[in-house]
Amino acid sequence: MAVISRDKKIIAGNWKLNKSPKETQSFIEEFAKIAQATKDFQKISDLCRFVICPQASSWESFQRTVKALSTSNSPGGVLELGAQNCFVEAQGAFTGENSYLVLKELSGQWVLVGHSERRTLFRETDEFLCRKVDSFQKANLIPILCIGETLGEREGEQTEEVLQHQLRDGLKNASEDLPLVVAYEPVWAIGTGKVATVNQVAHAHKFIANELIKLGFADTPILYGGSVKADNSKELGNIPYVDGFLIGGASLQVTSYLGIAQSLI
Ligand code: PGA
C-alpha cells in the first residue's frame, strides 16, 4: 500500500533556475494574500497539497517565510518545500552539489528525481537515479521519480517500453514501505505548450499504475507534467490515476499556480 495518500491532489511547482530568495519570499506572501481572499480556499486546501521546488539557494527564504505565515495562521502556511535535485550522498567531497540534510533541516520533504532536464543536460542515468530514490527514501524524504518518453520514442511507438524500463530501473532498490511518488512527463510536452491529449495521458497513467502494481508499489500517486495550465488542468485532473501535477512555467505566478488547484474543486 502506498505510503503517500492519493486522497489529496499534489500540486507541485518546479521553479527550475528561477526566483531569488527575495522573489521567493514575495511569491509566498502574495500566495498567502490571494489565498486569504479566495472564498473556496479551505475547500481547495482540503483537496490539494501545495509543494514548491525552488532552487537550493532559495530554500531557506522559503522555509522562513512559510514558518512566519503559519505561526500567524495564514493560508501561506500550507506551502510545502521540495528540492529540484539533491546529491545521492548526504555530505562529503562533492563540490557544487546540494545536500538533502540541508533540505531536511529546513523541513523540506520532497525531492524531484530524474527530471528530464537532469537526465538530458546533466546525463543522470537510470542507475544513478535508482541510488537517489533509495537514499532519499531511507532519509525519510519523498522522492518524485520523473519518467517520460521523447517525441522520437513516442513516434517510434516505444512509449510503453521507455516508461517500463525507467520505472523498473529507477525503482530497483526502492521500498514499498517508504514514501514514493511518480511523475509522468512526456519530454515533448515540457515547456513547449504542447500538452498531451486526454487519451495519451489516460493511457500512460493507466499503464504506469499497472506497472507499479506489478512492482509492488500499488496506489503510488502519479502526477502528470508538461505544459499544465489552469485552462487544461480540470480536464487532466479528471483522468483516472492522475493524482496531481508537476508544473513548470505556470507555477511561477501565484494566480496561475493557484488557478490550477482551483480548477479541481
Ligand atoms: P512546464 O514544465 O509546465 O513548463 O511544461 C514542467 C516540468 O518541467 O516539470
Side-chain angles (χ1 to χ4, degrees), residues 134-147:
D134 181 38
S135 76
F136 301 156
Q137 275 195 321
K138 286 189 176 130
N140 244 324
L141 291 161
I142 310 163
I144 303 179
L145 177 66
C146 305
I147 59 173

Side-chain angles (χ1 to χ4, degrees), residues 5-212:
S5 160
R6 293 179 61 214
D7 291 349
K8 282 193 169 199
K9 301 271 187 188
I10 298 164
I11 312 296
N14 172 13
W15 282 355
K16 311 194 180 184
L17 199 53
N18 296 295
K19 293 204 193 287
S20 68
K22 260 196 194 148
E23 290 166 333
T24 298
Q25 179 177 341
S26 308
F27 177 97
I28 296 167
E29 289 170 352
E30 191 189 336
F31 177 95
K33 248 191 229 155
I34 296 180
Q36 189 81 56
T38 303
K39 184 165 61 56
D40 286 330
F41 188 71
Q42 188 55 50
K43 206 163 151 197
I44 298 170
S45 66
D46 287 345
L47 181 78
C48 299
R49 288 182 80 166
F50 291 97
V51 179
I52 296 277
C53 305
Q55 55 180 311
S57 46
S58 294
W59 290 351
E60 203 270 333
S61 163
F62 184 98
Q63 194 264 353
R64 192 172 14 85
T65 314
V66 170
K67 198 172 166 197
L69 288 168
S70 54
T71 47
S72 61
N73 271 333
S74 151
V78 301
L79 292 169
E80 301 180 43
L81 175 63
Q84 296 170 20
N85 175 45
C86 284
F87 192 55
V88 63
E89 304 285 347
Q91 55 195 2
F94 305 107
T95 305
E97 290 294 333
N98 297 309
S99 171
Y100 61 77
L101 291 184
V102 177
L103 182 72
K104 279 174 69 94
E105 189 175 301
L106 295 169
S107 310
Q109 274 193 289
W110 307 77
V111 195
L112 303 184
V113 178
H115 185 279
S116 83
E117 285 148 25
R118 300 292 318 169
R119 290 176 187 263
T120 332
L121 303 172
F122 302 98
R123 301 203 166 75
E124 294 196 359
T125 61
D126 285 315
E127 194 192 15
F128 184 55
L129 299 173
C130 163
R131 287 177 54 213
K132 286 194 179 190
V133 170
D134 181 38
S135 76
F136 301 156
Q137 275 195 321
K138 286 189 176 130
N140 244 324
L141 291 161
I142 310 163
I144 303 179
L145 177 66
C146 305
I147 59 173
E149 80 288 357
T150 61
L151 187 57
E153 288 163 344
R154 175 160 285 272
E155 286 173 350
E157 295 183 4
Q158 293 168 304
T159 301
E160 291 188 355
E161 198 184 308
V162 170
L163 299 180
Q164 186 178 53
H165 95 75
Q166 287 180 341
L167 276 177
R168 292 197 174 176
D169 293 355
L171 299 178
K172 215 176 260 170
N173 295 335
S175 162
E176 62 273 27
D177 300 320
L178 292 169
L180 176 72
V181 171
V182 168
Y184 169 58
E185 296 203 297
V187 179
W188 49 271
I190 297 178
T192 56
K194 269 191 218 158
V195 67
T197 65
V198 169
N199 271 349
Q200 287 170 329
V201 176
H203 188 90
H205 278 243
K206 190 165 180 210
F207 178 79
I208 293 166
N210 279 333
E211 282 301 306
L212 286 167

